[in-house]
Amino acid sequence: MIPANPEPWEPDLWRVMLKNAIRDSQTLLARLGIPAIETDPLPAFPVRVPEPWLRRMRPGDPRDPLLRQVLATSDERVQMQGFTADALGEATAVITPGLLKKYAHRALLLASPACAIHCRYCFRREFPYEAHGPAHLETAVAAVAADDSLTEIILSGGDPLTLPDDRLAGLIAELGEIAHLKRLRIHTRLPIVLPERITAGLLAMLSASRLKVVVVIHCNHPAELDGDTRRAMQLLRRAGATLLNQAVLLRGVNDSADTLSALSESLFEQGVLPYYLHLLDRVTGTQHFEVDENTALKLIATLRSTLPGYLVPKLVREIAGAESKTAIY
Ligand SMILES: *Cc1c(COP(=O)(O)O)cnc(C)c1O
Ligand code: SF4
């Protein structure tokens, strides 16, 4: 049982856990008691799995939906037409290094290149982070200040919550001083994959900000949620954040109406509303995760007929050059 008023985690625990994350497929399989299989990660995007994620997998099950999201397999080497390194055309959205603006009134700040987990389907797996390093953050913040059409800044990455508390607090404080901003959005997977990141320091900087805070988490399967994620969400909500979820529709992970429905129910139970269900971005090395659009439409129609409207995520695809995410259903 989680107490009604849970405490945040100790300040340094998450950094130790991040440092000790599993970094190769064979160790991962051994920890799960699964015989070694042929694995072949592309060197640019090695395996990374933190302990809390590992604990939620079923030992001995090579088809576990959480394992599939993180195990590098030789499928990644398959070249398929239509899958490219910059499928989203992000290169053209760069305002200044570290700042992407594709849509009106909001821009995306690449606050940290690091993630606590490496999701094999990631659309940013080929992103040239070297060109958008933390050294550019100051210029990026100045560009935000200079563009008064912006009302919302999205901290993204990588994962912005991999920044240490002092750096993050400095950034949030600077953004709070920009008068035309109303909202601060944080796109992060850490409340799911490393809930220990929810420290008193993090909560204090969120509650102290003048900006309305929206935290968009990323959870694809109900088995990713447990008592620790519940505690993390409770703490974030207590700090005043609105919690939304984005998921990616992934073959062999969540491509069934039962799983998606259970995901919405479990998220709501932890205080999170479903926001987007993304069709896979067609990035090199991810083709084995793709679910075709017709199947996706059928799944979402089933959800519509069984769940209250607010538990049905918007099915969207990102199309390079479009003015927003493109709604499919
Ligand atoms: C997805 C995205 C956003 C956010 O879009 P919303 O529809 O507001 O969630 C903003 N900027 C960029 C560059 C994006 O890719
Ligand atoms: S957490 Fe997000 S950015 Fe990081 S690897 Fe996973 S999908 Fe990509």
Side-chain angles (χ1 to χ4, degrees), residues 249-273:
L249 184 57
L250 299 167
R251 197 200 315 161
V253 174
N254 59 7
D255 55 339
S256 87
D258 285 348
T259 303
L260 291 172
S261 167
L263 174 61
S264 281
E265 296 273 8
S266 304
L267 283 165
F268 187 73
E269 225 245 312
Q270 299 206 351
V272 185
L273 281 173

Side-chain angles (χ1 to χ4, degrees), residues 177-238:
E177 282 165 21
I178 300 175
H180 48 264
L181 293 182
K182 296 179 181 162
R183 289 178 302 276
L184 173 71
R185 200 196 307 185
I186 301 178
H187 280 184
T188 176
R189 207 170 192 210
L190 264 69
I192 299 293
V193 304
L194 192 56
E196 290 78 1
R197 177 64 185 95
I198 312 304
T199 58
L202 174 67
L203 296 166
M205 68 185 91
L206 298 183
S207 7
S209 181
R210 165 188 76 80
L211 304 167
K212 289 279 179 209
V213 177
V214 181
V215 176
V216 182
I217 62 164
H218 171 179
C219 176
N220 298 316
H221 191 283
E224 294 172 34
L225 298 166
D226 67 1
D228 284 345
T229 62
R230 180 192 304 274
R231 175 172 157 194
M233 304 313 163
Q234 219 170 324
L235 290 164
L236 287 167
R237 282 199 299 158
R238 210 167 67 196

Side-chain angles (χ1 to χ4, degrees), residues 74-303:
S74 43
D75 289 338
E76 295 184 10
R77 295 259 181 206
V78 177
Q79 293 288 330
M80 206 157 114
Q81 210 179 4
F83 285 75
T84 57
D86 182 23
L88 308 183
E90 294 205 314
T92 58
V94 175
I95 301 293
T96 174
L99 188 67
L100 302 184
K101 185 179 178 192
K102 286 196 205 169
Y103 310 143
H105 308 304
R106 54 218 194 275
L108 202 139
L109 198 61
L110 303 175
S112 165
C115 285
I117 192 166
H118 284 176
C119 314
R120 305 318 302 174
Y121 53 85
C122 181
F123 68 102
R124 292 239 165 81
R125 52 181 294 156
E126 301 266 348
F127 194 78
Y129 280 112
E130 324 73 69
H132 298 269
H136 299 291
L137 264 183
E138 211 171 310
T139 333
V141 171
V144 173
D147 180 352
D148 66 7
S149 77
L150 293 173
T151 52
E152 175 167 338
I153 285 301
I154 303 169
L155 300 187
S156 180
D159 198 309
L161 295 191
T162 56
L163 286 180
D165 278 353
D166 53 343
R167 298 262 312 281
L168 198 57
L171 179 60
I172 292 177
E174 280 177 46
L175 291 169
E177 282 165 21
I178 300 175
H180 48 264
L181 293 182
K182 296 179 181 162
R183 289 178 302 276
L184 173 71
R185 200 196 307 185
I186 301 178
H187 280 184
T188 176
R189 207 170 192 210
L190 264 69
I192 299 293
V193 304
L194 192 56
E196 290 78 1
R197 177 64 185 95
I198 312 304
T199 58
L202 174 67
L203 296 166
M205 68 185 91
L206 298 183
S207 7
S209 181
R210 165 188 76 80
L211 304 167
K212 289 279 179 209
V213 177
V214 181
V215 176
V216 182
I217 62 164
H218 171 179
C219 176
N220 298 316
H221 191 283
E224 294 172 34
L225 298 166
D226 67 1
D228 284 345
T229 62
R230 180 192 304 274
R231 175 172 157 194
M233 304 313 163
Q234 219 170 324
L235 290 164
L236 287 167
R237 282 199 299 158
R238 210 167 67 196
T242 298
L243 302 183
L244 303 173
N245 182 58
Q246 49 184 347
V248 183
L249 184 57
L250 299 167
R251 197 200 315 161
V253 174
N254 59 7
D255 55 339
S256 87
D258 285 348
T259 303
L260 291 172
S261 167
L263 174 61
S264 281
E265 296 273 8
S266 304
L267 283 165
F268 187 73
E269 225 245 312
Q270 299 206 351
V272 185
L273 281 173
Y275 179 37
Y276 281 147
L277 178 63
H278 294 267
L279 289 172
L280 186 78
D281 297 316
R282 309 192 89 200
V283 171
T284 314
T286 66
Q287 42 281 338
H288 52 294
F289 284 113
E290 190 170 49
V291 176
D292 67 81
E293 203 168 299
N294 272 335
T295 307
L297 278 168
K298 281 190 202 129
L299 288 171
I300 216 85
T302 306
L303 291 190

Side-chain angles (χ1 to χ4, degrees), residues 14 17-18 20-22 28 48-57 70 115-118 192-196:
W14 71 276
M17 294 180 101
L18 192 55
N20 293 338
I22 289 180
L28 175 60
R48 183 172 297 178
V49 184
E51 189 66 31
W53 184 266
L54 192 76
R55 281 202 300 266
R56 297 174 208 149
M57 292 192 229
V70 295
C115 285
I117 192 166
H118 284 176
I192 299 293
V193 304
L194 192 56
E196 290 78 1

